[in-house]
Amino acid sequence: MAIQEAQELLEGNGTLPAEADIASLLTRLEGIEARLEQLEESPAQDIENQLAMVVFSGELDKAIAAFIIATGAAAMGLEVSMFFTFWGLSLIKKQKQYADKNILEKGFTAMLPGGSQSLNLSQMNFFGAGSRIIRKLMKDHEVASLEELMAMAQEFGVRMVACDMSQELLGIKDEELLDGVEHGGVATFMGDAAQSKASLFI
Amino acid sequence: MAIQEAQELLEGNGTLPAEADIASLLTRLEGIEARLEQLEESPAQDIENQLAMVVFSGELDKAIAAFIIATGAAAMGLEVSMFFTFWGLSLIKKQKQYADKNILEKGFTAMLPGGSQSLNLSQMNFFGAGSRIIRKLMKDHEVASLEELMAMAQEFGVRMVACDMSQELLGIKDEELLDGVEHGGVATFMGDAAQSKASLFI
Amino acid sequence: MAIQEAQELLEGNGTLPAEADIASLLTRLEGIEARLEQLEESPAQDIENQLAMVVFSGELDKAIAAFIIATGAAAMGLEVSMFFTFWGLSLIKKQKQYADKNILEKGFTAMLPGGSQSLNLSQMNFFGAGSRIIRKLMKDHEVASLEELMAMAQEFGVRMVACDMSQELLGIKDEELLDGVEHGGVATFMGDAAQSKASLFI
């Protein structure tokens, strides 16, 4: 019967606590929704499954470390973005170009590596012998070469961004850079870093 | 009529599911509140819109990178803190002081840069020529100089902390440091880093 | 009386808003639970009170910085993991071993430091004089030595992981490494980094 049912529903067969009137339920709900909103708007909610890297160094050993971390993270399902700045731009060069450059820019072009193949080690380089030894060791131990790691990174969809400002300062032309490289500034990096689980400066 | 109304409310015009008695509603609410509490107390809730940096290196190119990132992040609305340690203290020096120092401290004072103006490049420095070239290039391309970036950082309220321990080890006096620099230790940095969206070691 | 009570409960003594029938309450609850679930499954919820570091450099000054940060963070209650790769493996060596190594590996063994005691400074090393001066200064100022910091790190339960691949490339035997060091790869580091509040590449 209706009355009986209503009573039972309201009282939950006698287990209903005294405070359980609907008005207090509504207040409780409002409190809950306010707390939810606060959580949803908290800075933590910007975090995504991402990794952001600044690649500042232009040395072979650090380049290998950067791309092993990048491909490893991408293989684990993280979205990875690499921001190449200053000497790090050497990693993503495919060639040297002297045309349309002033004397200073030609000097940088001559002195800086023309791509990943000509990077030096940060220590024990011995005029290139160290780099060759590390590359030979990687081959002997069946570790992917830097160039293979870079190709993997591109296949995995790792975002590779060249720093506009560094490119301008060092006089590096877009045609000198690998295909598929994006262009951006510090805001591009910080945008990625601010929603990343980890950020590294290499 | 009252009975009719109660019945209708409870049954939601016949759409009310069977489990919808108030006791079960209360249980559900308790579950929700427990989950909310867990979310509110999770480590992620410590994250704020912050960026924390250790500036360990005392070289011009890394200093420029550090302050471009710092000012860029601050312009995007992030709170930024920079922790200057070891060679990084050279960036925030305003002068050299030899008085009240022992022989070792005087040696460090003589050999380390006396401020941002005398920093070297991490590579291709060529006894200072590289630094001068980079500074000239920044001017030619209308990029703010390191000193302008540092002034902007201070205007933007970037927190600049000198590492107490490094200052003591290298015998750097407070009077040698820029005005407005705070003092702190590793706990100062980790406190900031633990609530930052990104942390960088430069 | 039952009818009276039901009516009062439902109407909350006349303060009950019009939308407050139970069916709409249930819809609201479902919405709340869906939002909760989304928060609980957000990437941010992977964050723990952790700090992850890549120690790539094998220099005394960076080693000191790494272990001061590691022990400081551990003292503040963070779980810390350090991933030693490339030159960073020198920090966690306890001895050199030449047996069972090929000529290249013997060369690396000869040229790389045999442990934390023989690390050089990244600048102003002056053939080891710089390292000795920094160590003397730390002693004079009653700062824990690198070896004491490392022992503290181990006591605090800091996770120390040797990079498998680097160990293989540089031909470093397990017996050359400190006791208690784990072995792992980039996935070990990224696993830690992805749930850390801060990640550093040193």
Side-chain angles (χ1 to χ4, degrees):
Chain A
M1 217 200 7
I3 310 169
Q4 188 67 24
E5 274 172 35
Q7 200 177 1
E8 275 176 27
L9 279 168
L10 285 169
E11 295 187 358
N13 303 315
T15 61
L16 191 67
E19 78 276 9
D21 65 82
I22 292 191
S24 82
L25 272 185
L26 289 177
T27 311
R28 229 168 129 177
L29 277 180
E30 272 157 35
I32 286 170
E33 281 165 336
R35 287 163 70 187
L36 263 178
E37 213 165 303
Q38 203 160 12
L39 283 167
E40 284 164 346
E41 285 167 5
S42 72
Q45 286 308 305
D46 299 335
I47 306 294
E48 300 290 342
N49 287 315
Q50 292 193 17
L51 166 67
M53 280 188 250
V54 178
V55 184
F56 172 93
S57 304
E59 289 142 343
L60 179 63
D61 41 359
K62 292 200 177 166
I64 295 169
F67 277 98
I68 284 183
I69 294 173
T71 51
M76 289 165 77
L78 290 158
E79 266 188 66
V80 181
S81 79
M82 303 175 86
F83 184 72
F84 297 88
T85 187
F86 272 83
W87 321 112
L89 285 172
S90 294
L91 275 65
I92 53 165
K93 267 199 217 158
K94 64 177 179 196
Q95 61 189 11
K96 291 187 177 197
Q97 182 193 303
Y98 290 91
D100 301 319
K101 291 193 176 177
N102 64 32
I103 184 76
L104 261 181
E105 291 171 349
K106 280 177 183 163
F108 276 119
T109 310
M111 285 185 301
L112 289 174
S116 63
Q117 291 286 359
S118 38
L119 302 176
N120 292 318
L121 287 185
S122 67
Q123 36 177 295
M124 303 216 304
N125 188 57
F126 303 120
F127 303 99
S131 290
R132 281 194 300 278
I133 288 174
I134 288 290
R135 284 188 178 271
K136 184 190 174 325
L137 284 170
M138 290 174 78
K139 204 170 172 187
D140 291 352
H141 288 91
E142 289 169 11
V143 174
S145 72
L146 174 56
E147 290 69 31
E148 287 165 342
L149 289 167
M150 289 173 74
M152 274 169 63
Q154 288 196 308
E155 268 170 54
F156 285 163
V158 168
R159 186 180 188 195
M160 289 164 66
V161 184
C163 170
D164 275 339
M165 200 200 74
S166 305
Q167 227 188 301
E168 211 183 301
L169 287 186
L170 301 174
I172 298 170
K173 306 283 177 201
D174 290 355
E175 304 87 64
E176 293 180 276
L177 299 182
L178 293 179
D179 302 322
V181 162
E182 288 176 55
H183 296 272
V186 67
T188 316
F189 165 68
M190 272 315 303
D192 281 335
Q195 57 188 38
S196 287
K197 285 182 161 178
S199 301
L200 302 173
F201 184 97
I202 295 182
Chain B
M1 217 201 1
I3 310 170
Q4 188 66 25
E5 274 172 37
Q7 200 178 0
E8 273 175 27
L9 278 168
L10 285 169
E11 294 185 1
N13 303 316
T15 60
L16 192 66
E19 76 276 11
D21 63 83
I22 291 191
S24 82
L25 272 186
L26 289 177
T27 311
R28 227 166 129 179
L29 277 181
E30 273 158 35
I32 285 169
E33 283 165 335
R35 287 163 70 187
L36 263 178
E37 212 165 303
Q38 203 160 12
L39 283 167
E40 286 164 345
E41 286 169 4
S42 73
Q45 288 307 307
D46 300 336
I47 307 294
E48 300 290 343
N49 288 316
Q50 293 192 15
L51 165 68
M53 280 189 251
V54 179
V55 183
F56 173 93
S57 303
E59 289 142 344
L60 179 64
D61 41 359
K62 293 200 176 168
I64 294 168
F67 276 99
I68 284 183
I69 295 174
T71 51
M76 291 165 75
L78 290 157
E79 266 187 66
V80 181
S81 77
M82 304 175 87
F83 184 72
F84 296 88
T85 186
F86 273 83
W87 320 112
L89 285 172
S90 294
L91 275 67
I92 51 167
K93 268 198 217 160
K94 64 177 179 194
Q95 62 188 11
K96 292 188 177 196
Q97 180 192 305
Y98 290 91
D100 301 319
K101 290 194 178 179
N102 65 32
I103 184 76
L104 261 181
E105 292 171 348
K106 281 178 184 166
F108 276 119
T109 309
M111 285 186 297
L112 288 174
S116 63
Q117 292 284 0
S118 39
L119 302 177
N120 291 319
L121 286 186
S122 67
Q123 35 177 300
M124 305 215 303
N125 188 58
F126 304 121
F127 303 99
S131 290
R132 281 193 301 277
I133 289 174
I134 288 289
R135 285 189 176 270
K136 183 189 175 327
L137 285 169
M138 290 173 77
K139 204 171 173 185
D140 290 350
H141 288 91
E142 289 168 12
V143 173
S145 71
L146 174 56
E147 289 68 31
E148 286 165 342
L149 289 167
M150 290 173 73
M152 274 170 62
Q154 288 197 307
E155 266 171 54
F156 284 163
V158 168
R159 186 180 187 196
M160 290 164 65
V161 184
C163 170
D164 276 338
M165 199 199 74
S166 305
Q167 226 188 304
E168 209 183 301
L169 287 185
L170 300 173
I172 298 170
K173 305 281 177 205
D174 289 355
E175 303 88 63
E176 291 179 277
L177 299 182
L178 294 178
D179 303 322
V181 162
E182 288 176 55
H183 296 271
V186 66
T188 316
F189 166 67
M190 272 314 304
D192 281 334
Q195 58 188 38
S196 286
K197 284 182 163 181
S199 301
L200 302 172
F201 185 97
I202 297 184
Chain C
M1 218 200 6
I3 310 170
Q4 189 67 24
E5 273 172 36
Q7 202 180 358
E8 276 177 26
L9 278 168
L10 286 170
E11 295 183 1
N13 303 317
T15 61
L16 190 64
E19 75 277 9
D21 62 83
I22 291 190
S24 82
L25 272 186
L26 289 177
T27 312
R28 228 166 130 179
L29 276 180
E30 271 156 37
I32 285 169
E33 281 164 337
R35 287 163 71 187
L36 263 179
E37 213 164 302
Q38 203 160 12
L39 283 167
E40 285 164 345
E41 286 168 5
S42 72
Q45 287 307 306
D46 299 336
I47 306 295
E48 301 288 341
N49 288 316
Q50 292 192 17
L51 166 68
M53 280 189 249
V54 178
V55 183
F56 173 93
S57 303
E59 289 143 342
L60 180 63
D61 41 0
K62 292 199 176 169
I64 294 168
F67 277 99
I68 284 183
I69 295 173
T71 51
M76 287 164 78
L78 290 157
E79 266 187 66
V80 181
S81 78
M82 304 175 88
F83 184 71
F84 296 88
T85 187
F86 273 82
W87 320 113
L89 285 172
S90 294
L91 274 67
I92 52 167
K93 267 200 217 158
K94 65 177 179 196
Q95 61 190 10
K96 291 189 177 196
Q97 181 193 303
Y98 290 90
D100 301 319
K101 290 193 177 179
N102 65 32
I103 184 77
L104 261 181
E105 292 170 348
K106 280 176 183 164
F108 276 119
T109 310
M111 286 185 298
L112 290 173
S116 62
Q117 292 284 1
S118 37
L119 302 177
N120 291 318
L121 287 186
S122 68
Q123 35 178 298
M124 303 216 304
N125 189 58
F126 303 119
F127 304 97
S131 291
R132 280 193 301 277
I133 289 174
I134 289 290
R135 285 188 177 271
K136 183 188 176 325
L137 285 170
M138 291 174 76
K139 204 170 171 185
D140 290 352
H141 288 91
E142 288 169 12
V143 174
S145 71
L146 175 56
E147 290 68 31
E148 286 165 343
L149 289 167
M150 290 173 73
M152 272 169 64
Q154 288 198 306
E155 265 170 56
F156 283 163
V158 168
R159 189 182 184 195
M160 290 164 66
V161 184
C163 170
D164 275 339
M165 200 200 73
S166 305
Q167 227 188 304
E168 210 183 301
L169 287 185
L170 301 174
I172 299 170
K173 306 284 177 202
D174 290 354
E175 303 87 64
E176 292 179 277
L177 299 182
L178 293 178
D179 303 323
V181 162
E182 287 177 56
H183 297 272
V186 66
T188 315
F189 166 67
M190 272 313 305
D192 281 334
Q195 57 188 37
S196 286
K197 285 182 163 179
S199 301
L200 303 172
F201 185 97
I202 296 182

